[in-house]
Amino acid sequence: MKHIRLYLTTLAAVLMAACSSMEVDDNELYAENFPKDFVDSVYMELHPELVSLQIKQFVKDHNDSLKTNMDADRYQKMYDKDTAAFSQDTSVLHEIFVTPFYVGFPEEDWVDVWTPITTYDVTCVTNMTYREVYLVIGSDTAKTKVYVDSVKFDEKGNFASIYGKTDSTAASKEFVIGDTISYYNKGAVYDSTEVCDSVEVIQDGQLSAIQKSLVVSFNMYDKDNDLAALKKVPIDTKAVVYQYVVYGKLHGWTYRYCAAAEKKNPVRPVLDVSETTDKLYCDDNGVAREIK
């Protein structure tokens, strides 16, 4: 995707900046280094990230200048007010988000960003229905599980006697707690069922952290109409096209669209960062093909 180039063209950007200060005869440069059918505007159209880098740097320098030349409190108030308004203006955010010369994400990504996300919070409760409660009584050598019908307590709140049965077929009887019968522990036999409740949670769409950081880098803090201000940013076209000479050409960047007859030509191989090529390439709907 084109916006990935924003991360991959750091070296190209440095070289492009260097090109802007080159004092070279244009006719000589074109004659020796550019293909005869090279067109500046087409190269910029194929690689809008080179323009984007310039605009973003201009905005950064502009905002840095504001901070340097303004009282700190005044700058902070301006920054807070402007960034709040900028983040709420979805029409401006959208334009910057999808315009190739700014961020350049595809339109479908914008639709995905603002599509609400539906999740479900599930809460489960386990209900237990007791069928039988029992006590274990007896001696150290012989213990008996008694399913309880009722119990008697002494004046201290301890078990005095237990009325119950030792199995489902036995008759209930009294077991007196004393010298020969002791109480050991208690337990229960129960049925358990889990009941779950699901609550739908709808989260409004929003820009991701990375998307937001890219978009806000085109916000000028002292401008109410950022789109109009961005369109007035001066572009060093010479630096953009010279980038092809010092970097793009050597690394197989496309410089024009492919003709119909070229759309079956070999696809450019994946080049390592250190690899260069002496071949020229055209663009076939995003695919770089060799020009023979």
Side-chain angles (χ1 to χ4, degrees):
M1 296 173 66
K2 286 186 176 180
H3 63 270
I4 298 300
R5 289 270 182 83
L6 291 170
Y7 300 100
L8 302 181
T9 56
T10 303
L11 176 58
V14 172
L15 293 172
M16 185 177 67
C19 290
S20 65
S21 61
M22 290 173 59
E23 295 182 2
V24 181
D25 181 82
D26 288 344
N27 293 328
E28 178 183 347
L29 184 68
Y30 271 83
E32 295 183 357
N33 297 286
F34 285 87
K36 293 181 179 179
D37 53 356
F38 186 96
V39 178
D40 298 358
S41 60
V42 174
Y43 189 68
M44 293 172 62
E45 185 177 301
L46 287 172
H47 305 287
E49 65 272 19
L50 298 177
V51 176
S52 173
L53 288 167
Q54 281 197 32
I55 296 175
K56 186 158 62 172
Q57 187 61 51
F58 180 93
V59 172
K60 181 181 183 303
D61 292 344
H62 177 82
N63 289 335
D64 288 347
S65 177
L66 292 175
K67 187 174 184 179
T68 300
N69 294 293
M70 291 179 65
D71 173 81
D73 290 339
R74 181 186 170 199
Y75 172 82
Q76 189 63 47
K77 290 179 181 178
M78 176 188 67
Y79 171 84
D80 292 342
K81 180 180 178 181
D82 183 80
T83 53
F86 181 83
S87 64
Q88 295 173 8
D89 194 336
T90 53
S91 63
V92 172
L93 297 179
H94 178 220
E95 186 74 16
I96 294 174
F97 189 92
V98 300
T99 299
F101 289 141
Y102 304 143
V103 176
F105 284 99
E107 178 66 31
E108 53 266 29
D109 280 14
W110 176 260
V111 176
D112 289 342
V113 162
W114 298 108
T115 300
I117 300 173
T118 301
T119 58
Y120 295 89
D121 282 346
V122 179
T123 304
C124 296
V125 177
T126 300
N127 295 323
M128 295 186 296
T129 303
Y130 290 92
R131 290 192 284 111
E132 297 171 320
V133 177
Y134 63 84
L135 298 173
V136 177
I137 63 174
S139 64
D140 290 338
T141 58
K143 296 183 176 62
T144 301
K145 182 185 292 186
V146 177
Y147 294 95
V148 179
D149 292 327
S150 62
V151 297
K152 282 185 178 180
F153 299 93
D154 61 20
E155 64 278 4
K156 295 182 179 180
N158 300 316
F159 287 116
S161 61
I162 301 169
Y163 294 86
K165 49 195 176 183
T166 56
D167 61 57
S168 60
T169 61
S172 292
K173 64 178 183 179
E174 181 181 15
F175 298 90
V176 179
I177 307 299
D179 294 336
T180 59
I181 298 178
S182 299
Y183 158 71
Y184 286 89
N185 55 46
K186 61 183 177 179
V189 178
Y190 57 85
D191 295 323
S192 63
T193 56
E194 187 176 60
V195 179
C196 296
D197 183 35
S198 180
V199 178
E200 184 179 78
V201 179
I202 300 177
Q203 179 181 349
D204 293 336
Q206 59 182 337
L207 294 172
S208 70
I210 292 177
Q211 291 168 335
K212 185 175 181 180
S213 68
L214 292 173
V215 172
V216 299
S217 64
F218 291 89
N219 177 29
M220 297 185 191
Y221 303 150
D222 62 338
K223 305 296 182 184
D224 294 329
N225 190 334
D226 286 281
L227 293 179
L230 290 172
K231 290 177 182 178
K232 295 179 180 178
V233 172
I235 303 301
D236 188 345
T237 304
K238 181 182 292 187
V240 173
V241 298
Y242 282 3
Q243 183 273 349
Y244 179 72
V245 174
V246 297
Y247 184 85
K249 183 178 180 181
L250 292 173
H251 290 79
W253 282 36
T254 59
Y255 73 89
R256 64 168 173 79
Y257 293 101
C258 295
E262 296 173 316
K263 294 188 176 184
K264 293 184 180 181
N265 287 359
V267 176
R268 181 193 61 204
V270 177
L271 298 175
D272 185 79
V273 175
S274 61
E275 291 182 294
T276 59
T277 180
D278 58 359
K279 296 181 180 180
L280 300 178
Y281 293 92
C282 62
D283 181 276
D284 176 16
N285 196 27
V287 178
R289 295 188 181 276
E290 181 182 336
I291 299 174
K292 296 183 177 181

